Amino acid sequence: DGSGSAFSGVFDEAAREGATVITHSRNRGKGAALKTGIRDILARFPGHDVVTADADGQHTVHDIQRVADALASDVSHPPTLVLGARAFHGTVPLRSRLGNSVARRLFEIAAGWKASDTQTGLRGIPADMLPWLLNVPGERFEYETEMLLRLRSAGFEAREVAVDTLYLESNASSHFRPFVDSVRVTAPLVVFAASSLLAFLVDTIALLVLTALTGSLIGSIVGARVLSASVNFVVNRRFVFRRRGRQRIVAQGLGYTTLALLLLGSNVVWMTFLTDLGLPLLAAKVVTETVLAVTSYQVQRRVIFARRRTGPDGRRRLAPSQERQRSAEALGARMDLTIPRRERTP
């Protein structure tokens, strides 16, 4: 991917061994490279699964084959991404151990499910998932994190296969830059957290102002929550879960309103209970919002703003077996058009 003439010998050798080599004229990033490869595979090998592996020497041929075998034997529904998960035991470079540890903790908070190795590039991707991956945002290292963050809301699952942890020369060949790329990788997680923080600030300021003006705690809680919920809905829909346009906005609005009412009731109960115990208003607010924040986020991600499983054309995606059948029929039709009649076999 824009590696330059110094590495052309490596790609030339790969081509001589039978590999198809696709190049970018400049380095556009890992995410862009993966998308280019996926587009080529969809065009030339429809219905085929894909295994990706980093080129920095971390993944052995044995482990790549192990992930491929796990993917080929997987008949589960919905389609499941296979992650080659490293154990990070023994001699592991500090930047790799620290980077994965931080990313793993932040990912669990944002996504609501655990992945022991969020940065692994060894992944088995089922064919049914490939069209969706072209629409996942990200052009560099953050692309693989975005993939995992949006996986379940898109109707897919993930499972892990244990692989060896191998670093050559302390992982000196890796192009992962600890600071710059860590910011890129964690950026999606920061967006999720920023929306909740914004709603919290709006709600808190409105609560303090309304309480000072009216003297009514319950009325101030209701007014502040209506304002902050409206802001939170707009921000979450457009920027966090990236649902734009008017499609399903009514259903999402009703779902969010229902959730907001339930949380409002819980908020009133908690706030009244804590302030009656003698806890200061601001402290009670912090405790209450902390308790309710996780529930609110998970319901929004999994239910209200869950992405409907659709293909690239916007239509609802077929079941995996139907997709494979359609791909096979399409491939057969193309072969029928291109193979001369005299070369066909009965």
Side-chain angles (χ1 to χ4, degrees):
D1 180 42
S3 300
S5 59
F7 299 95
S8 60
V10 176
F11 298 109
D12 291 342
E13 183 178 354
R16 286 194 296 269
E17 293 293 331
T20 297
V21 179
I22 306 172
T23 61
H24 288 163
S25 59
R26 59 181 177 81
N27 191 326
R28 292 165 50 191
K30 184 178 183 180
L34 287 171
K35 290 177 183 178
T36 295
I38 290 171
R39 287 190 187 93
D40 185 75
I41 290 168
L42 283 171
R44 299 196 298 123
F45 303 102
H48 282 243
D49 298 333
V50 170
V51 175
T52 66
D54 292 339
D56 55 7
Q58 292 189 37
H59 305 136
T60 65
V61 173
H62 174 72
D63 284 337
I64 294 173
Q65 186 64 55
R66 182 185 301 175
V67 170
D69 291 341
L71 181 61
S73 63
D74 197 342
V75 294
S76 60
H77 183 75
T80 301
L81 179 72
V82 179
L83 299 173
R86 298 161 292 181
F88 291 95
H89 297 319
T91 304
V92 179
L94 178 61
R95 69 171 181 171
S96 297
R97 184 189 300 274
L98 182 61
N100 188 74
S101 178
V102 172
R104 186 171 65 247
R105 297 291 182 266
L106 291 172
F107 175 84
E108 183 178 344
I109 296 173
W113 58 280
K114 294 182 179 180
S116 62
D117 187 1
T118 61
Q119 298 181 48
T120 179
L122 179 53
R123 303 183 178 193
I125 307 171
D128 296 323
M129 194 180 294
L130 294 177
W132 170 74
L133 288 177
L134 294 179
N135 296 317
V136 172
E139 299 297 305
R140 298 186 180 276
F141 284 107
E142 78 277 8
Y143 173 70
E144 290 178 319
T145 301
E146 292 275 9
M147 182 192 307
L148 297 182
L149 284 171
R150 287 163 170 74
L151 191 72
R152 289 193 172 181
S153 64
F156 302 113
E157 293 292 338
R159 71 183 184 94
E160 296 183 341
V161 172
V163 299
D164 294 330
T165 305
L166 179 65
Y167 292 97
L168 303 179
E169 298 178 353
S170 296
N171 205 24
S173 63
S174 175
H175 290 250
F176 187 88
R177 298 162 293 181
F179 178 76
V180 176
D181 291 317
S182 290
V183 172
R184 289 182 179 275
V185 167
T186 57
L189 310 181
V190 173
V191 174
F192 285 126
S195 174
S196 298
L197 178 59
L198 176 62
F200 171 77
L201 292 175
V202 171
D203 200 45
T204 301
I205 294 172
L207 175 64
L208 296 174
V209 171
L210 291 174
T211 301
L213 293 176
T214 67
S216 172
L217 176 60
I218 294 179
S220 298
I221 292 175
V222 173
R225 182 48 56 95
V226 170
L227 178 60
S228 65
S230 300
V231 172
N232 190 241
F233 174 76
V234 173
V235 173
N236 282 0
R237 187 176 190 274
R238 183 172 180 83
F239 299 104
V240 178
F241 300 101
R242 304 198 183 197
R243 308 296 186 261
R244 302 185 179 182
R246 296 185 177 182
Q247 185 179 12
R248 299 187 64 208
I249 190 172
V250 174
Q252 291 168 352
L254 290 175
Y256 187 89
T257 300
T258 301
L259 174 64
L261 290 174
L262 292 174
L263 293 176
L264 176 60
S266 299
N267 192 288
V268 170
V269 172
W270 276 91
M271 289 285 288
T272 303
F273 173 73
L274 292 175
T275 52
D276 286 346
L277 289 179
L279 201 64
L281 179 61
L282 186 57
K285 178 67 175 174
V286 172
V287 172
T288 299
E289 292 301 330
T290 301
V291 172
L292 298 180
V294 174
T295 301
S296 175
Y297 171 75
Q298 293 297 340
V299 173
Q300 289 181 59
R301 185 179 62 84
R302 296 185 180 188
V303 181
I304 298 173
F305 296 108
R307 188 182 297 276
R308 302 178 69 182
R309 295 183 59 207
T310 59
D313 57 358
R315 298 178 180 177
R316 288 190 66 81
R317 183 177 296 163
L318 299 175
S321 58
Q322 294 174 306
E323 289 280 8
R324 285 191 288 270
Q325 180 179 356
R326 176 170 292 186
S327 297
E329 291 173 351
L331 180 60
R334 283 194 294 273
M335 292 176 64
D336 189 63
L337 290 173
T338 56
I339 299 177
R341 183 175 299 276
R342 63 177 180 275
E343 294 183 9
R344 296 176 185 165
T345 57

